[in-house]
């Protein structure tokens, strides 16, 4: 085989090999062999690819695409859920705040009402006491005025007597009453 | 003597490889110039670049083939 | 001080390189030997004999199976390494078909994927040292290109009927120019499979021949062989790129041709 190779490489082989070219590519005696095996190779590769490899890779790629799409959809879903949860949380928070305010307002109103009532009561008591006191004062005043009139009459009669006059009880009383009015 | 002439012919045919080199350089150079002007369009045109290079190179390969034929087949 | 030491070492290396260069340092480079199709059993290469081409084609099938079937067998939602590569390849070609050839070309996706994965696998496997590269052979790439050409032409006529010929009649051009353009279009249409196949085969063949030539230099230069070895490293990196790019270009051109067949209007 080695000697044949060498011969083919040198042009000298041409006569020995019946016109075989020095360029192996132009050695037509090998063409049928090459073409036959090439066609076999191509058919085998085509069958491998179209029956097994390509459908499988396409399926894997499609599956991956599907998985990615599903995962993205799931992520989108979860995100929506999270947004919803946040909304619910915010709503609950707002509700609680409103409730707290309501309770505070109620309590305040209650306290205010109690307070008002107490104040009103106290006011009434105070007013009553004031009225009573005023009445008492008025009584005392009246009493006092009366006493003043009696004392003034007595005093006037005494003074008149002391001055040597004769005390007329009715005249003194009228004069005193006249003086006290003025 | 005939073989000697064939070898000279083969050498002359090999000049064609240099011509193909000029052609390929032209294609690649113009592509680069265009790509630098508009880099965003360059990526979509690489296939065209390779087709152009292949066409330019094929003719150089023809001359190489002629040289080989003169060397070994004549 | 270090500099002087460096120069001394360099001088010693160079002199010893000159002194100890192999006596038989003739350039024995046979860059095309790696492309020879030879039978694995026996000497004769018949139509059905197992050759090195057969072996590497079978390896391409096995690596396709390993990547796309075994790699994706776990059907993981979060993919591992092999499954990631399989899915990336799938998505890459699917998007290419959809973008370049249009939505209605998606039913050709397995066919285009077959072409891409086969070319990619055999290009990559061919980068293993001492391997055989099926895609460097005109016979192989011509069949691939012819398959594309026939498919495209048949699909074009089935989908559009006679309207497919509108592809050659450039209605946007001025009327007197149209026959000339039609001739040019027809020629370019029939040159497509030629350039399609020779581009792939030529690129792979050229890359591997260059690697072999540098390897021959390395064998001839004795101690100085590290220069060509550096060059081989660089060219090898380029070839890895080329292996992918040629598969990509072949596939995307198939998509472009398919688009012409499905939507022939200019």
């Amino acid at each position: 085989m080695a000697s044949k190779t060498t011969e083919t490489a040198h042009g000298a082989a041409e006569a020995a090999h019946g016109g075989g070219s020095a360029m192996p590519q132009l050695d037509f005696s090998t063409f049928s062999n090459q073409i036959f095996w090439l066609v076999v190779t191509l058919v085998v590769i085509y069958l491998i690819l179209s029956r097994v490899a390509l459908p499988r890779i396409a399926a894997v790629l499609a599956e991956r695409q599907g998985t990615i799409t599903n995962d993205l959809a799931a992520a989108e879903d979860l995100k929506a859920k999270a947004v919803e949860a946040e909304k619910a949380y915010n709503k609950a928070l707002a509700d609680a705040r409103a409730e707290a305010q309501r309770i505070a307002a109620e309590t305040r109103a209650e306290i205010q009402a109690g307070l008002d009532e107490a104040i009103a009561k106290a006011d009434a008591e105070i007013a009553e006491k004031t009225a009573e006191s005023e009445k008492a004062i008025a009584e005392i005043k009246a009493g006092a005025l009366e006493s003043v009139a009696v004392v003034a009459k007595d005093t006037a009669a005494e003074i008149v007597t002391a001055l040597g006059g004769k005390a007329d009880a009715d005249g003194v009383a009228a004069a005193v009453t006249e003086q006290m009015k003025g | 003597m005939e073989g000697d002439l064939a070898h000279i012919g083969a050498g002359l045919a090999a000049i064609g490889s240099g011509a193909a080199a000029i052609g390929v350089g032209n294609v690649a150079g113009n592509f680069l110039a265009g790509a630098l002007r508009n880099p965003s369009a360059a990526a979509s045109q690489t296939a065209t670049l390779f087709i152009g290079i292949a066409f330019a190179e094929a003719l150089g390969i023809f001359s190489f083939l002629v040289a080989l034929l003169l060397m070994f087949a004549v | 001080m270090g500099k002087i030491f460096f120069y001394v070492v360099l001088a010693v290396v160079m002199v010893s390189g000159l002194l100890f260069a192999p006596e038989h340092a003739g350039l024995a480079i046979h860059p095309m030997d790696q492309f020879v199709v030879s039978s694995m059993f026996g000497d004769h290469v018949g139509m059905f004999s197992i050759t090195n081409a057969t072996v590497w084609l079978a390896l391409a099938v096995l690596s396709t199976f390993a990547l796309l079937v075994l790699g994706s067998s776990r059907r993981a939602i979060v993919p591992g390494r092999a499954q990631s590569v399989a899915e990336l390849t799938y998505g890459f070609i699917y998007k290419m078909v959809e973008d370049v050839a249009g939505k209605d070309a998606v039913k050709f996706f397995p066919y285009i994927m077959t072409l891409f994965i086969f070319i990619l696998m055999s290009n990559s496997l061919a980068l293993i040292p001492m391997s055989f590269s099926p895609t460097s052979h005109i016979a192989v790439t011509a069949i691939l290109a012819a398959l594309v050409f026939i498919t495209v032409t048949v699909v074009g006529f089935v989908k559009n009927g006679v309207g497919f010929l509108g592809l050659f009649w450039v209605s946007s051009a001025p009327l007197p120019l149209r026959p000339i353009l039609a001739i040019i279009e027809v020629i370019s249409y029939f040159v497509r499979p030629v350039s399609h196949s020779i581009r792939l085969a030529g690129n792979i063949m050229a890359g591997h021949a260059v690697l072999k030539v540098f390897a021959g230099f390395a064998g001839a230069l004795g101690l100085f062989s590290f220069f060509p070895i550096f060059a081989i490293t660089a060219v090898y990196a380029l070839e890895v790129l080329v292996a992918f790019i040629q598969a990509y270009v072949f596939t995307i051109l198939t998509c472009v041709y398919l688009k012409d067949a499905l939507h022939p209007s200019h």
Side-chain angles (χ1 to χ4, degrees):
Chain A
M1 208 171 91
S3 69
K4 182 189 158 228
T5 312
T6 326
E7 277 176 14
T8 323
H10 297 277
E14 281 190 21
H17 280 273
S21 166
M23 238 176 106
Q25 279 87 352
L26 298 180
D27 184 0
F28 294 103
S29 65
T30 64
F31 271 31
S32 60
N33 178 275
Q34 291 199 59
I35 290 168
F36 171 74
W37 287 113
L38 172 69
V39 170
V40 170
T41 305
L42 287 181
V43 167
V44 171
I45 291 183
Y46 182 81
L47 288 180
I48 289 176
L49 290 190
S50 60
R51 297 291 144 129
V52 187
L54 298 185
R56 183 188 287 173
I57 295 176
V60 170
L61 289 179
E63 196 180 323
R64 178 172 314 147
Q65 196 60 48
T67 311
I68 290 172
T69 313
N70 282 348
D71 286 0
L72 282 181
E76 198 68 33
D77 216 33
L78 289 177
K79 199 181 164 194
K81 266 185 197 158
V83 167
E84 217 163 86
E86 198 192 345
K87 215 182 275 173
Y89 165 76
N90 279 340
K91 191 165 168 284
L93 199 64
D95 280 357
R97 200 168 282 152
E99 181 74 13
Q101 268 170 4
R102 195 180 59 73
I103 289 171
E106 230 166 58
T107 314
R108 200 175 295 138
E110 235 165 61
I111 291 170
Q112 191 67 46
L115 202 60
D116 286 352
E117 202 180 310
I119 288 172
K121 206 172 160 196
D123 278 354
E125 258 167 37
I126 290 166
E128 202 179 308
K129 287 249 170 85
T130 311
E132 244 167 54
S133 309
E134 264 167 16
K135 205 172 149 202
I137 289 168
E139 256 167 41
I140 290 167
K141 216 177 182 180
L145 277 176
E146 226 166 86
S147 306
V148 167
V150 172
V151 171
K153 279 172 199 165
D154 285 355
T155 311
E158 280 303 314
I159 291 168
V160 168
T161 312
L163 285 176
K166 180 110 176 320
D168 181 9
D170 292 342
V172 169
V176 168
T177 311
E178 188 84 359
Q179 282 300 310
M180 279 179 75
K181 269 179 192 166
Chain B
M1 194 58 203
E2 200 180 302
D4 292 344
L5 278 179
H7 281 86
I8 292 172
L12 289 176
I15 295 172
S17 303
I22 295 173
V24 172
N26 240 327
V27 173
N30 282 327
F31 176 81
L32 186 60
L36 288 178
R37 271 171 208 273
N38 188 1
S40 56
S44 63
Q45 297 304 318
T46 40
T48 325
L49 168 72
F50 280 111
I51 293 174
I53 286 181
F55 280 134
E57 194 195 19
L59 301 173
I61 293 290
F62 285 167
S63 72
F64 167 73
L65 195 75
V66 169
L68 275 183
L69 288 175
L70 287 170
M71 283 281 286
F72 297 106
V74 175
Chain C
M1 187 61 195
K3 224 176 199 175
I4 294 170
F5 180 71
F6 174 74
Y7 282 127
V8 167
V9 169
L10 199 64
V12 168
V13 166
M14 291 182 84
V15 169
S16 56
L18 290 176
L19 288 180
F20 302 109
E23 290 292 319
H24 55 281
L27 275 177
I29 304 172
H30 306 299
M32 306 312 276
D33 279 8
Q34 56 182 326
F35 303 123
V36 171
V37 178
S38 55
S39 189
M40 300 298 283
F41 312 103
D43 225 11
H44 176 68
V45 177
M47 184 163 175
F48 305 111
S49 44
I50 309 286
T51 60
N52 49 359
T54 316
V55 171
W56 288 94
L57 288 172
L59 284 175
V61 173
L62 283 183
S63 14
T64 305
F65 186 81
L67 175 63
L68 291 184
V69 176
L70 300 184
S72 65
S73 61
R74 280 179 50 232
R75 295 163 175 270
I77 290 296
V78 179
R81 250 180 279 178
Q83 195 182 333
S84 280
V85 173
E87 284 170 8
L88 276 180
T89 317
Y90 180 97
F92 179 64
I93 301 301
Y94 194 88
K95 193 169 172 299
M96 186 199 291
V97 173
E98 217 175 45
D99 287 355
V100 177
K103 293 251 182 223
D104 45 350
V106 164
K107 59 176 177 293
F108 294 99
F109 169 63
Y111 176 66
I112 292 171
M113 184 77 176
T114 303
L115 287 179
F116 176 77
I117 208 80
F118 167 70
I119 297 172
L120 182 66
M121 283 304 173
S122 45
N123 281 358
S124 316
L125 288 174
L127 287 171
I128 298 170
M130 311 302 290
S131 71
F132 176 85
S133 35
T135 40
S136 71
H137 275 259
I138 305 282
V140 170
T141 59
I143 291 298
L144 293 174
L147 283 176
V148 171
F149 181 76
I150 292 167
T151 311
V152 164
T153 311
V154 168
V155 167
F157 277 113
V158 167
K159 275 250 169 193
N160 307 291
V162 189
F164 183 55
L165 293 174
L167 182 64
F168 308 117
W169 195 252
V170 188
S171 50
S172 58
L175 193 59
L177 272 178
R178 284 184 206 173
I180 305 168
L181 281 179
I183 294 171
I184 295 175
E185 288 283 330
V186 168
I187 292 175
S188 86
Y189 187 78
F190 282 98
V191 166
R192 275 178 183 182
V194 178
S195 68
H196 208 182
S197 58
I198 292 195
R199 179 182 305 114
L200 177 56
N203 263 297
I204 304 302
M205 195 202 316
H208 286 247
V210 166
L211 283 177
K212 207 65 155 186
V213 168
F214 276 117
F217 287 159
L221 284 181
L223 264 182
F224 287 113
S225 57
F226 55 85
F227 291 121
I229 287 173
F230 280 141
I232 287 174
T233 312
V235 173
Y236 191 92
L238 181 70
E239 284 310 305
V240 173
L241 187 67
V242 164
F244 173 75
I245 293 225
Q246 286 309 316
Y248 173 71
V249 162
F250 194 96
T251 318
I252 203 166
L253 283 177
T254 305
C255 291
V256 170
Y257 297 161
L258 202 57
K259 189 200 80 184
D260 279 352
L262 295 170
H263 316 282
S265 54
H266 271 274

